[in-house]
Amino acid sequence: MQLKKGQIIDLEIDAIAFGGRGIGRFEGRAVFVDGVMPGDKVRASLTRIKEKFMEAELVELVAKSAERIEPRCKHFGTCGGCKFQFMKYEDQLGVKKQHVIDALERIGGLKGVRVKNPIGSESEFYYRNKMEFTFGYDGEMNFALGMHLPGRRYDILDLDICYLQSELSVEILNRVREFCLERGWKPRKFTNNEGFLRSLYIREGKRTGEVMVNFVTSQSEGVDNIPKGFVEELEKLADIFGESVSSFYWTNVISKRGQRKRFEEKLIRGKSCLSEIMKLDNGDELKFDILPQAFFQVNTYAAESLYSQVLKYALVEPCKVAFDLYCGTGTIGLFLAKHLEKVLGIESNEEAVKAAVKNAKANGVDHIEFFTGDTGKLLKDLKESPDVVVIDPPRAGVTAKVIEQIDQFSPKTLVYVSCNPTTLARDLRLLTDLGFQLKEVQPVDMFPQTYHIETVCLLQR
Ligand SMILES: C[S@@+](CC[C@H](N)C(=O)[O-])C[C@H]1O[C@@H](n2cnc3c(N)ncnc32)[C@H](O)[C@@H]1O
């Protein structure tokens, strides 16, 4: 029978694909459906028909999987932020482990690899140390402060509850909404110069208890749409926050056609940085001073687990020199430096390198050096001979050229940290073809309720 878009089909879901969609089979083809889990029996409407696979939209949950649980959040299913909330946390970890195994086997052709059970996040809710809420309008053009609705470019879901950050964060969110509504302040519109509210960032030091709020507005160059006395108003907002917020910023983003946006930052009250501490399993500890725009891992405790694992693998053999490639703000390198004679880091983002240099100074580490630029261009010119190389690339993984260059340095130990099992599997294949042996694979869950998974791999030669 010829299948058509909009046709209703019945399916039993038997797996979850990387990306979070459920997979069932219909007439021999895989069908991907959002919002379902293994064991669910569903009725779905076909939205895309391809030779090898199809996509469909859930119409009715005919029979629920016995493993389904009631999602905690009332915004579940609309918000799109916590796709796995209908699964017990241990089941989420099982699905994520299977994604890593599947990628290694199917993409990397690496069978029989020892993939350990994922290290779970200490808390499955309230784990984020940073949230960005957007000002905008809901589908009916009402004021909204919350998250972008999935699949809709402009519409914002007005959030009054979210379980990803602390309860204090939600309180701040609701206070700010109230404050803006009382003053008749409007979110910016993309179509004209009306409104000026852009976003609200809330950051928390999970180990220090500090809180940074960054109130972000938008302005087109030459258009004076920020209300008179705005700073005085923000000071009133700071009074409302009181002691609970240690650092309160106003950032105005100024845009001009054809030019890069300019950011004007003003500290309204409190400290200029948010301090956070990281403690590893081996007792090592570092302190970080984080500026409003700076990158920092969003789940502090899970990042500690990740880095503890990286150190365990990196220091598996006695060593003196390490490379930290794609080093971001230098966190891994700084922890490694405590045990080594020399560490060299490469990172393309200039701001991140500046923060890395500051972090090194603040923690009294003077035998680490950072290089700004593309790893593919800089790596070959590094003058040291590393015993261990750590790579933590973005989702796209590393290029074959970088892998060749790593090979030229002949490190005994290579630690690959990845946030994407698909590109990890591709790269591990290339590395094992060069003679590296994949010894162990340890997934670490930094993002409960989502499909994301980090993986730390130990390779030796
Ligand atoms: C997954 S993050 C690594 C974060 C860091 N290791 C940490 O734990 O905080 C990947 C980093 O690679 C950087 N990056 C992306 N492409 C790069 C390239 N071609 N060369 C060097 N760094 C790059 C990004 O700016 C980003 O900071």
Side-chain angles (χ1 to χ4, degrees):
M1 188 181 71
Q2 180 78 17
L3 293 168
K4 288 198 198 108
K5 272 191 191 179
Q7 186 171 330
I8 304 292
I9 58 170
D10 286 318
L11 289 172
E12 179 155 356
I13 305 302
D14 46 39
I16 290 194
F18 184 63
R21 290 185 301 175
I23 316 176
R25 297 220 142 250
F26 190 78
E27 295 187 349
R29 268 180 278 186
V31 187
F32 295 92
V33 189
D34 235 336
V36 293
M37 69 176 284
D40 282 343
K41 290 191 173 124
V42 306
R43 195 153 288 154
S45 162
L46 289 174
T47 52
R48 194 165 174 219
I49 301 164
K50 291 276 176 194
E51 205 180 312
K52 295 206 169 122
F53 72 93
M54 299 190 280
E55 291 173 352
E57 215 170 71
L58 180 66
V59 174
E60 190 190 341
L61 199 53
V62 179
K64 284 184 187 176
S65 158
E67 304 308 319
R68 242 183 201 266
I69 57 166
E70 202 48 47
R72 178 171 188 175
C73 184
K74 67 175 181 185
H75 298 301
F76 174 79
T78 327
C79 162
C82 293
K83 289 200 165 180
F84 280 1
Q85 244 190 55
F86 53 46
M87 257 189 264
K88 284 185 263 185
Y89 188 46
E90 71 226 51
D91 291 342
Q92 296 179 22
L93 292 177
V95 164
K96 293 184 191 204
K97 177 178 177 183
Q98 197 55 46
H99 285 162
V100 176
I101 295 172
D102 288 349
L104 294 184
E105 289 187 353
R106 290 186 198 151
I107 299 163
L110 299 158
K111 299 243 167 15
V113 175
R114 193 155 111 80
V115 177
K116 297 180 81 179
N117 286 333
I119 299 173
S121 171
E122 191 176 278
S123 25
E124 58 178 285
F125 290 107
Y126 306 113
Y127 61 83
R128 289 186 68 101
N129 59 29
K130 180 184 170 193
M131 288 292 283
E132 178 191 359
F133 301 105
T134 306
F135 287 103
Y137 296 90
D138 66 11
E140 266 110 51
M141 290 310 286
N142 298 308
F143 180 107
L145 172 58
M147 304 289 202
H148 281 278
L149 280 162
R152 307 251 282 277
R153 189 147 176 223
Y154 298 117
D155 295 348
I156 302 295
L157 174 70
D158 198 38
L159 274 185
D160 55 356
I161 188 84
C162 175
Y163 296 103
L164 289 183
Q165 215 175 9
S166 68
E167 285 171 359
L168 175 66
S169 157
V170 174
E171 222 177 290
I172 292 171
L173 171 80
N174 290 329
R175 278 304 177 107
V176 169
R177 176 189 297 102
E178 212 176 278
F179 194 84
C180 295
L181 283 170
E182 277 166 13
R183 279 151 186 81
W185 291 348
K186 296 215 161 52
R188 71 175 172 152
K189 271 195 192 150
F190 290 89
T191 43
N192 55 26
N193 283 320
E194 211 184 296
F196 65 98
L197 303 174
R198 187 185 176 99
S199 51
L200 178 76
Y201 284 84
I202 303 175
R203 272 188 133 139
E204 298 176 298
K206 293 284 183 188
R207 284 203 180 269
T208 57
E210 292 188 0
V211 175
M212 175 185 274
V213 173
N214 189 8
F215 192 110
V216 186
T217 56
S218 237
Q219 197 174 18
S220 297
E221 187 86 55
V223 178
D224 196 9
N225 53 350
I226 307 287
K228 299 251 169 318
F230 186 61
V231 170
E232 289 73 24
E233 288 299 317
L234 290 185
E235 276 163 4
K236 286 183 202 160
L237 186 55
D239 288 340
I240 295 175
F241 294 150
E243 294 291 302
S244 60
V245 171
S246 48
S247 171
F248 181 30
Y249 272 94
W250 167 34
T251 303
N252 194 22
V253 183
I254 303 168
S255 44
K256 192 173 178 185
R257 244 170 206 247
Q259 286 188 11
R260 276 177 76 174
K261 290 189 173 71
R262 258 188 319 122
F263 290 73
E264 278 182 1
E265 238 162 41
K266 183 173 173 60
L267 180 64
I268 301 291
R269 190 160 307 170
K271 290 176 58 184
S272 60
C273 291
L274 175 108
S275 301
E276 178 63 309
I277 288 167
M278 279 193 152
K279 285 186 190 173
L280 303 196
D281 294 351
N282 62 4
D284 288 352
E285 198 174 308
L286 288 173
K287 181 173 169 254
F288 300 93
D289 285 331
I290 307 159
L291 283 163
Q293 313 292 337
F295 169 82
F296 195 74
Q297 294 281 2
V298 299
N299 183 342
T300 304
Y301 296 120
E304 290 174 351
S305 303
L306 184 85
Y307 294 156
S308 295
Q309 195 59 41
V310 171
L311 252 73
K312 199 169 137 198
Y313 285 166
L315 305 176
V316 70
E317 303 270 346
C319 55
K320 292 180 178 166
V321 178
F323 288 174
D324 177 12
L325 307 181
Y326 309 88
C327 67
T329 48
T331 332
I332 293 175
L334 286 170
F335 275 118
L336 277 173
K338 285 186 176 262
H339 303 269
L340 302 179
E341 286 176 12
K342 183 90 198 167
V343 178
L344 303 183
I346 300 182
E347 163 61 44
S348 60
N349 183 309
E350 239 174 86
E351 290 305 310
V353 175
K354 277 187 203 157
V357 171
K358 257 178 114 177
N359 288 335
K361 230 179 181 172
N363 287 285
V365 183
D366 58 4
H367 51 296
I368 189 164
E369 220 177 314
F370 297 104
F371 299 85
T372 314
D374 175 19
T375 304
K377 290 196 181 127
L378 300 184
L379 178 58
K380 62 180 184 319
D381 297 326
L382 294 189
K383 297 287 179 263
E384 298 283 343
S385 181
D387 308 292
V388 50
V389 173
V390 177
I391 50 178
D392 184 6
R395 297 188 66 73
V398 282
T399 58
K401 187 172 146 197
V402 168
I403 288 181
E404 263 171 45
Q405 291 181 15
I406 292 172
D407 184 39
Q408 301 288 310
F409 282 100
S410 303
K412 275 196 293 224
T413 305
L414 179 68
V415 182
Y416 193 141
V417 187
S418 163
C419 56
N420 183 349
T422 311
T423 51
L424 170 71
R426 178 202 67 197
D427 295 344
L428 287 179
R429 173 83 247 177
L430 294 177
L431 287 161
T432 49
D433 286 349
L434 286 170
F436 283 99
Q437 280 179 29
L438 181 55
K439 296 282 183 179
E440 205 172 272
V441 175
Q442 175 65 70
V444 180
D445 187 24
M446 307 260 270
F447 302 101
Q449 318 306 332
T450 77
Y451 68 85
H452 295 284
I453 183 75
E454 302 281 321
T455 313
V456 191
C457 304
L458 170 64
L459 295 113
Q460 282 184 304
R461 195 157 63 170

